[in-house]
Amino acid sequence: MPSPFDLTGKRALVTGSSRGLGLAMAKALAEAGATVVLNARDAVALGAAAQDLAATGATVHAVAFDVTNRESINEAIKHIEDEIGPIDILVNNAGMQFRSSLESFPPEKFDQLIATNLTSVFNVSQPVSRHMISRGQGKIINTCSLMSGMARAAIAPYAASKAAVANITRGMAVDWAPHGLNVNGIAPGYFATELNESLSKNPKFNSWLEARTPMGRWGRPEELGGAVVFLASGAASFINGHILYVDGAFSATA
């Protein structure tokens, strides 16, 4: 019997995948058999990531575009659909962080953060969904956050953006499930990535996190692999509008 987690023959576009959690999820999808399309704005970093992933035997394409630029997105989606093949799986992972107390938060950074974390999910999903709807199937997975359901000091705009990503995920599921699409979110807890480098190098925060997380440690990027493969696969055929927390039980404890 074929494995319900086998993604052979599927094509997956992962935004923000030249490093960190995006690259880790792309690797997991490739290991499950999918052809992966990596994306980032930095063409040099993107090319290096694609080369490294291809060296493992994966089938990889690199398409540089800015997830905040609709014209760039539309051109890229058309190129992928026409030249690489139908997008079966979309992982909206591009994101950014900026830390500041809310009263001092630069307005231009607020706009940039919302555009990158939230508006990009709509920007990319809309044109991709139109192709998926015409085919009657497709998987969309949005990267939410532990902060989709809570907040911490100095990251209020980030928390707001990720709460909105969680709810637009539910809205996409409601609108597109009748057309055969599955739309779900993954909410990572604290993972040791470049985005969190300033926190992981802070002894006080590191001690607090290890004490606060029941599993007693940071997450490793590769530990998102099972979640993304599951939601992208036939094993999750009746899961829609769900936010899957991958956080070492952080959100389960008071």
Side-chain angles (χ1 to χ4, degrees):
M1 293 290 292
S3 167
F5 303 101
D6 184 10
L7 299 178
T8 301
K10 302 294 185 181
R11 281 159 296 274
L13 168 61
V14 185
T15 68
S17 52
S18 64
R19 61 185 181 179
L21 299 185
L23 182 56
M25 289 190 284
K27 287 178 179 178
L29 294 168
E31 289 170 359
T35 294
V36 295
V37 181
L38 302 184
N39 156 261
R41 290 181 299 178
D42 184 339
V44 175
L46 184 63
Q51 186 174 15
D52 289 346
L53 185 51
T56 68
T59 302
V60 187
H61 301 269
V63 180
F65 63 89
D66 183 350
V67 296
T68 67
N69 184 313
R70 292 190 177 102
E71 182 178 352
S72 174
I73 292 165
N74 291 333
E75 290 175 358
I77 299 306
K78 185 178 188 305
H79 166 74
I80 296 167
E81 288 275 337
D82 292 347
E83 304 298 330
I84 298 174
I87 299 169
D88 303 293
I89 302 157
L90 168 63
V91 181
N92 285 304
N93 176 73
M96 66 168 286
Q97 176 64 287
F98 185 86
R99 294 180 173 87
S100 173
S101 59
L102 196 54
E103 71 275 9
S104 302
F105 208 94
E108 65 276 10
K109 284 296 183 183
F110 182 93
D111 293 343
Q112 182 187 10
L113 190 149
I114 295 298
T116 304
N117 292 1
L118 172 60
T119 311
S120 69
V121 175
F122 170 79
N123 287 346
V124 181
S125 296
Q126 188 182 59
V128 170
S129 72
R130 288 170 177 159
H131 291 284
M132 290 179 169
I133 288 169
S134 71
R135 294 188 285 266
Q137 60 182 0
K139 305 278 190 176
I140 297 177
I141 302 163
N142 297 326
T143 301
C144 302
S145 171
L146 184 62
M147 294 300 119
S148 291
M150 57 182 67
R152 294 195 70 250
I155 59 167
Y158 178 84
S161 72
K162 289 301 186 177
V165 171
N167 226 34
I168 200 170
T169 298
R170 298 181 184 102
M172 288 176 174
V174 171
D175 276 8
W176 295 338
H179 301 287
L181 278 62
N182 294 78
V183 187
N184 294 289
I186 294 176
Y190 284 95
F191 278 71
T193 66
E194 188 174 328
L195 191 69
N196 286 324
E197 188 174 9
S198 64
L199 299 180
S200 62
K201 290 184 175 181
N202 182 321
K204 182 178 180 180
F205 184 90
N206 195 62
S207 297
W208 171 83
L209 177 69
E210 291 177 352
R212 175 67 174 75
T213 305
M215 289 188 70
R217 62 174 175 84
W218 292 77
R220 297 184 291 270
E222 62 270 19
E223 291 180 302
L224 280 187
V228 74
V229 169
F230 169 58
L231 292 177
S233 74
S237 59
F238 200 58
I239 297 176
N240 227 334
H242 178 70
I243 311 301
L244 175 58
Y245 281 77
V246 184
D247 64 357
F250 188 108
S251 58
T253 185

